[in-house]
Amino acid sequence: MQPKTLGEFVIEKQHEFPYSTGELSTLLNSIRLAAKVVNHHVNKAGLTDILGAAGNNNVHAEEQQKLDVLANRLFIDALVNREIVCGIASEEEENYVSVAGMKSDNMNKYVVLIDPLDGSSNIDVNVSVGTIFSIYRRISPVGQPVTLEDFLQPGRKQVAAGYVIYGTSTMLVYTTGHGVNGFTLNPALGVFYLSHPQMKFPEKGKIYSINEGNYVHFPLGIKKFIKYCQEEKDDRPCTSRYIGSLVSDFHRNMIKGGVYLYPPTSKHPSGKLRLLYECNPMAFLAEQAGGKASDGYRDILDIEPVELHQRVPFYVGNRDMVERIEEFIQIYD
Ligand code: AHM
Ligand code: MG
């Protein structure tokens, strides 16, 4: 039998939201469409003048790549043109975009937070990159311009979250709080098919993923955890795998079992990754797949955000491994 398409799956699952108006389904369909367009550009990147730096910096003073800028435009346009959200926040935009302010009859209730193309250091070298998205119901009244508080909600309040991985194949993986499902793009047809139903972390994790080049700057607890992973004892040593693309590292670890770490370093004292559009969506997916995400002390999903581009230390993956990291931090830091 032909596997289910993403479009069919989204419609079939609409009943899981009792008072659903179909708005979330339409929103997920817009993300699916934008993902296909971005995939098309990522795939032919070497053939057009799209590789390299765009010549400007984003809000984090990081050099924007041309593909970063393009992916940002494509996702924002797809969401604005279809008039399906009331607000958008992006890693590439300093301020949030109020779609409700642009279209006065906008009665939509969802805001989207997005990292349009994550893993920018991999763009020019043909290594997997990804898109990460997070969806919330707005808090402020419908029909008005959105406010900052609509975006500064703890991860627990997410209605849906997911990522697109532009890898050896392109996949869209998402959750609405009823498990995690993965869909693979058939490039010949331009259709995503359900290929990974109900994804779960394996019982035990064996992989640790961290940029060990920063080792000397890590907190003592993290150094001890790395040494623990390398020890010849019980079912260790673990294997080290690091792509430097959160989506790809997370995706592999969810399938094979492992943990991703981005601790505080001297360059990034609060960690490097952004709470709202990198850590929270991954944390929601991890929890739904039987894993866990922490900043070393708290569950990522419980953190009350204070600013749009806030950074946090981030440990995500197999529950046992994340809890082990928390123990090491508690003992040594
Ligand atoms: P980006 O949003 O600028 O692409 O940065 C986020 C990325 C993550 O995908 C990745 O895990 C991490 O930064 C890699 O950082 P580093 O090069 O410091 O190891
Ligand atoms: Mg990013």
Side-chain angles (χ1 to χ4, degrees):
M1 201 176 79
Q2 182 84 329
K4 215 165 268 159
T5 70
L6 173 56
E8 289 164 359
F9 185 87
V10 167
I11 292 167
E12 185 187 300
K13 295 292 167 189
Q14 213 165 289
H15 73 271
E16 283 169 352
F17 299 88
Y19 302 104
S20 159
T21 54
E23 209 175 309
L24 182 63
S25 304
T26 316
L27 172 49
L28 289 167
N29 285 338
S30 307
I31 291 176
R32 174 191 63 172
L33 176 70
K36 282 196 278 191
V37 180
V38 171
N39 174 65
H40 174 69
H41 286 282
V42 169
N43 267 232
K44 64 181 177 70
L47 300 174
T48 51
D49 181 29
I50 195 67
L51 291 177
N56 39 318
N57 287 349
N58 67 10
V59 274
H60 319 287
E62 296 156 346
E63 193 175 55
Q64 282 182 310
Q65 305 295 305
K66 285 184 202 162
L67 263 179
D68 274 339
V69 176
L70 178 68
N72 186 48
R73 230 356 337 118
L74 289 168
F75 271 101
I76 291 184
D77 285 353
L79 297 171
V80 171
N81 294 343
R82 292 182 153 210
E83 298 184 36
I84 196 58
V85 290
C86 52
I88 306 165
S90 161
E91 176 174 352
E92 304 302 334
E93 305 279 336
E94 182 159 5
N95 297 313
Y96 60 84
V97 178
S98 175
V99 184
M102 291 156 69
K103 315 233 178 203
S104 54
D105 57 345
N106 184 325
M107 297 301 280
N108 296 320
K109 56 179 177 290
Y110 294 112
V111 295
V112 172
L113 296 96
I114 192 157
D115 182 351
L117 210 59
D118 184 64
S120 11
S121 67
N122 285 323
I123 292 176
D124 282 358
V125 291
N126 210 350
V127 174
S128 302
V129 288
T131 296
I132 310 173
F133 62 90
S134 167
I135 301 173
Y136 292 85
R137 208 166 279 118
R138 68 183 297 175
I139 303 173
S140 60
V142 172
Q144 310 278 317
V146 282
T147 62
L148 184 58
E149 63 161 354
D150 293 319
F151 298 92
L152 299 186
Q153 301 190 51
R156 286 254 167 255
K157 295 267 172 70
Q158 285 172 105
V159 173
Y163 59 78
V164 184
I165 174 168
Y166 310 99
T168 41
S169 60
T170 296
M171 283 187 70
L172 193 152
V173 175
Y174 83 103
T175 183
T176 54
H178 300 272
V180 176
N181 291 285
F183 300 80
T184 302
L185 180 66
N186 178 333
L189 302 177
V191 178
F192 282 101
Y193 288 101
L194 179 61
S195 52
H196 294 61
Q198 288 299 328
M199 297 177 83
K200 289 276 176 218
F201 281 91
E203 191 118 336
K204 282 220 74 71
K206 284 279 286 176
I207 299 170
Y208 71 102
S209 312
I210 187 167
N211 185 345
E212 267 183 274
N214 296 326
Y215 185 85
V216 293
H217 303 292
F218 292 156
L220 186 58
I222 299 302
K223 288 181 176 165
K224 294 278 187 189
F225 175 75
I226 293 173
K227 289 299 159 213
Y228 163 86
C229 288
Q230 294 169 347
E231 232 169 45
E232 279 302 329
K233 209 171 169 193
D234 304 326
D235 51 356
R236 284 165 283 144
C238 300
T239 299
S240 164
R241 288 280 183 278
Y242 189 69
I243 298 170
S245 176
L246 171 63
V247 169
S248 319
D249 281 308
F250 177 92
H251 185 75
R252 182 207 49 243
N253 290 349
M254 179 162 63
I255 291 173
K256 295 201 159 179
V259 68
Y260 171 96
L261 305 90
Y262 212 110
T265 62
S266 50
K267 189 169 166 208
H268 297 297
S270 314
K272 178 186 178 194
L273 299 186
R274 270 59 56 133
L275 173 62
L276 290 178
Y277 40 79
E278 291 177 329
C279 304
N280 270 339
M282 290 312 199
F284 189 19
L285 288 159
E287 193 174 276
Q288 286 293 317
K292 180 176 168 144
S294 167
D295 69 350
Y297 302 93
R298 297 167 291 179
D299 196 310
I300 287 288
L301 295 173
D302 292 328
I303 299 176
E304 291 281 345
V306 290
E307 55 183 350
L308 208 50
H309 299 288
Q310 183 173 343
R311 297 176 195 263
V312 278
F314 192 45
Y315 311 106
V316 63
N318 269 75
R319 179 166 285 275
D320 56 326
M321 292 181 98
V322 174
E323 283 170 356
R324 184 65 52 141
I325 292 169
E326 288 178 325
E327 277 166 36
F328 275 96
I329 290 177
Q330 204 138 70
I331 299 170
Y332 294 105
D333 295 319

